[in-house]
Amino acid sequence: MTNPFQQLEADLAERRAAHLYRRRPVVSTPQGPTVVVDGVTLTSFCSNDYLGLAAHPGLVAAAQAGAARWGVGSGASHLVCGHQAAHEDCERKLAAFVGKPAALTLATGYLANLAVITALVGREDAVFADKLNHASLNDACLLSRATFKRYAHNDLDMLERQLADTPARRKLIVADAVFSMDGDTAPLAGLLALAERHDAWLFIDDAHGFGVLGEGRGSMAECGLDSPRIIYMATLGKAAGVAGAFVAAEEIVIDYLVNMARPYIYTTAAPALIAEAVSASVDVIADEAWRRERLQDHIRLLRDRLAAGGCQLMPSATAIQPLEMPSSEAALALSAALRQRGHWVAAIRPPTVPTPRLRITLSAAHDTAAVQQLADDLIALLPTLSSPRSLS
Ligand SMILES: *Cc1c(COP(=O)(O)O)cnc(C)c1O
């Protein structure tokens, strides 16, 4: 008898040997600055809960009231009978908040990216994507069957050459506004100028900017940019602390997605209680500027203290503060050593990123002492890295 899963086992063994095997740590607390993971209490520097809203009592209360009012299931897709008044209200609120005529909510950001790109471009079209875009954008580009051109990270000249060369019917430029594993930002004004010059649309994934930048209204607001050509997407499971995503654009674009986007049409609507929690989150994001200020203070503190200790982070002004590592093995070893000192920092390895790194994320929920302690422990541990084995 042959083992029917032999090839799968071989693939996983290869990943293990290359220090690329993954497992899922089990967290037995709500998300917050301190979590219990696999039974150990750690300070978390790996969630995307940048504003500390994932367990915010007001959002929890909104979800509970939402469950009491709407039940827990939406019953069907939006086009059949799953589109409830809570979804409708939430979409209006999100559109108004980011200054767009209309918005559409979806159950996840991954789904939103699939929906937008596969609906807007097809075989006769071309999509132009930054090399460091999120995996969900790349998957969406492949699924769309459009000609898929990738330009070097933030390289506007290369993008312009690609735009000038294309015979495509429709052109869509796609970029993360804040790059999820690097923390740096896209040249949004330059991208919009190219979209205008070459009659393209610009699709911006602001998963890590919404709630944080532009007084919470996101990266376009931060840069003071607005254009009907911009199709804006943000996720609601990161700074907003809940789940899902929304697309904000001209009415015609949203109407087109409702009618044409298969990843929107053929899936059950997210529960209305999620929409209620998101609406509550938008209020907190709008009202509590102190969360963004506190996050900025932590970013400055971490960078300054590490620089003073001779430790160079990758260039980033956002809550994502990665530390490049010479190898996946070294990244795992440093992550393990930090864990022994009570810090939880994820080692991010290929194929998620081209080069291994520790991805440190900061939150308004951290206290200053925790950020200082992380910096001090990193400075103490880094010199031992030349012989990574000594760390483990
Ligand atoms: C997290 C993320 C997504 C996916 O959003 P989910 O709601 O987690 O599915 C999409 N784009 C970027 C840049 C992300 O970081």
Side-chain angles (χ1 to χ4, degrees), residues 149-215:
K149 297 273 187 202
R150 297 173 83 193
Y151 56 90
H153 181 48
N154 283 346
D155 187 340
L156 293 175
D157 293 334
M158 184 168 174
L159 171 59
E160 172 132 55
R161 286 194 298 277
Q162 291 176 341
L163 285 164
D165 281 350
T166 183
R169 175 187 63 166
R170 293 205 285 251
K171 290 160 256 180
L172 180 66
I173 302 168
V174 176
D176 284 23
V178 175
F179 289 87
S180 55
M181 296 296 143
D182 296 70
D184 63 339
T185 53
L188 295 173
L191 290 173
L192 180 58
L194 286 183
E196 276 165 355
R197 199 171 322 145
H198 293 274
D199 193 24
W201 298 324
L202 177 59
F203 181 40
I204 291 298
D205 176 340
D206 202 21
H208 301 275
F210 181 75
V212 177
L213 300 175
E215 288 166 349

Side-chain angles (χ1 to χ4, degrees), residues 108-111 113 134 136 176 178 180 205 207-208 233 235 238 244:
T108 73
Y110 192 108
L111 211 57
N113 285 341
H134 191 260
S136 58
D176 284 23
V178 175
S180 55
D205 176 340
H208 301 275
M233 192 287 287
T235 65
K238 289 167 180 158

Side-chain angles (χ1 to χ4, degrees), residues 34 37 39 115 131 152 210 219 222 291-292 338 343 359 385:
T34 304
V37 47
K131 265 261 159 72
F210 181 75
S219 294
E222 174 87 11
R291 292 177 186 274
R292 283 179 288 278
L338 284 169
H343 311 291
R359 180 178 182 265
L385 247 195

